[in-house]
Amino acid sequence: MKVPLGITTLHLSQRNALLLLLAVGLLGFGGYDYVQQSQAVDNAVPVQATITDSSVDRMDGGRGIDYEPEIRYTYQYQGETYTSEQVFPSTGVRTYSDRSRAESVVESYEPGTTARAYVSPADPDDAFLIRERTPWPLQAIAVGGFLSVIGVLSGLGAKNPGQQELRPASEVQPAPRETWVDSHGETIHRLSKQGLSVCFVGFWLSLVALVFGLLNTTGGFEGPPQDIQAAFLGPVGLPMLAGFSFWVGMILSVCLYGVWSFTKYRQLRQRLSAPKPPSPFRHPSRVVTILGTDDGDLSEYGQRVRLTGWAWMIAVGMTGALAYLLYTAG
């Protein structure tokens, strides 16, 4: 599929078209929900509501266990009586991974008490209790923006990058100066693979130990959920510390592999015939296209670019996941 885009043309495969369609959907829904929340927060008027029921609902999903604050209340607006269960001014449901955070929301809304609710004059049957925006719209916009950038860069890239054939190594003069990574390349490669294997196994073993520690602390699966005060070196704190350490070890191992792989890429690039194509790592559209190409459609040079790019992408993604986890835990 070819899409004219100003002075250039966007070449979209079926995969890129689906990616851009998903990105547009996230951007549209996130933007719509953000506008809706903003209008609700800015235009809503306060009314008195009577709480009829409040609880924390446990939701078991593919990502784990989440907790949703559920509050049911009645209110009157312009002589009419309404019932609502909406807590925040959002079309989506806001959940928490920590039960105590969901409980902190409902603890101020005991059944039988009165509280302040907010009503939009244009939609009086859709009130809410807490006058603040949820983070979901901005998260959807951020993800949609990232996916759209990837899709556009892939469509703008060269049609067949990473397919350049290499000259025999005997025809290439060695580099005038050998770096430390060049001289110790095999050692770095071996250590990165061994470190990644050990940390990967250690991380999952630490998760198993964490599950057993939680079961021993809480007395098993039976009984109501409860807060856990984990000692730093206790049956819960120690596996968490080990899991954190092994996760950091995996990041370092992937980075080490990325350094070795980039060195191999530079060596292979010397074997390209003139005129050499632009370096993919200086042209994001090229490297994105290569990342989405199957190994069977790439030359040895393209496969090395693909492995190097994915190594750094994985390292960045793992680092971002760790930073997000530390941020939410704090």
Side-chain angles (χ1 to χ4, degrees), residues 15-311:
R15 180 166 49 187
N16 287 340
L18 292 175
L19 185 66
L20 284 177
L21 185 63
L22 175 61
V24 171
L26 287 172
L27 287 171
F29 186 77
Y32 171 79
D33 199 27
Y34 182 81
V35 171
Q36 290 292 102
Q37 290 192 46
S38 299
Q39 291 178 346
V41 169
D42 295 337
N43 301 329
V45 295
V47 296
Q48 186 173 349
T50 301
I51 309 300
T52 58
D53 187 34
S54 63
S55 62
V56 173
D57 184 27
R58 173 172 169 157
M59 306 172 64
D60 296 332
R63 299 185 306 169
I65 300 176
D66 289 327
Y67 301 93
E68 177 192 356
E70 289 192 343
I71 305 173
R72 187 179 179 88
Y73 54 95
T74 61
Y75 60 94
Q76 288 188 344
Y77 182 73
Q78 293 184 347
E80 296 288 336
T81 301
Y82 300 91
T83 300
S84 178
E85 297 181 358
Q86 191 165 331
V87 180
F88 295 94
S90 173
T91 55
V93 176
R94 184 171 186 176
T95 59
Y96 301 89
S97 58
D98 186 359
R99 183 182 179 88
S100 61
R101 296 184 63 186
E103 290 177 340
S104 66
V105 175
V106 303
E107 65 184 5
S108 301
Y109 301 97
E110 294 291 335
T113 62
T114 59
R116 177 178 296 179
Y118 298 92
V119 179
S120 173
D123 193 11
D125 61 345
D126 198 17
F128 56 92
L129 293 174
I130 300 179
R131 197 172 188 174
E132 65 179 41
R133 300 177 182 88
T134 61
W136 150 248
L138 294 181
Q139 293 174 354
I141 292 173
V143 174
F146 175 77
L147 293 180
S148 63
V149 169
I150 295 298
V152 171
L153 287 177
S154 180
L156 290 176
K159 292 184 179 180
N160 301 309
Q163 298 184 8
Q164 294 80 8
E165 296 298 330
L166 300 174
R167 294 180 294 164
S170 57
E171 298 181 6
V172 180
Q173 295 183 352
R177 187 181 64 177
E178 191 176 46
T179 65
W180 184 87
V181 178
D182 292 329
S183 58
H184 297 81
E186 293 305 317
T187 301
I188 294 174
H189 185 212
R190 184 178 67 255
L191 289 177
S192 66
K193 295 176 66 176
Q194 291 176 349
L196 183 60
S197 300
V198 170
C199 291
F200 180 81
V201 173
F203 175 76
W204 286 106
L205 289 177
S206 66
L207 291 186
V208 173
L210 176 61
V211 171
F212 280 103
L214 290 172
L215 292 178
N216 290 333
T217 302
T218 59
F221 292 106
E222 301 298 331
Q226 53 183 290
D227 292 334
I228 300 173
Q229 299 296 330
F232 188 68
L233 297 179
V236 175
L238 191 58
M240 292 180 64
L241 178 62
F244 172 82
S245 302
F246 284 126
W247 187 267
V248 173
M250 285 193 289
I251 295 175
L252 295 178
S253 298
V254 173
C255 289
L256 196 62
Y257 177 86
V259 171
W260 170 81
S261 186
F262 185 76
T263 301
K264 297 295 291 184
Y265 150 77
R266 290 195 308 170
Q267 294 173 357
L268 292 176
R269 186 167 175 79
Q270 295 176 359
R271 294 169 54 187
L272 293 177
S273 301
K276 294 181 180 180
S279 171
F281 297 105
R282 295 183 180 179
H283 295 77
S285 62
R286 285 179 172 268
V287 73
V288 168
T289 303
I290 293 175
L291 289 178
T293 305
D294 295 332
D295 276 346
D297 298 329
L298 297 172
S299 65
E300 182 183 359
Y301 167 78
Q303 292 177 12
R304 179 52 53 192
V305 172
R306 187 173 186 268
L307 289 172
T308 305
W310 274 118

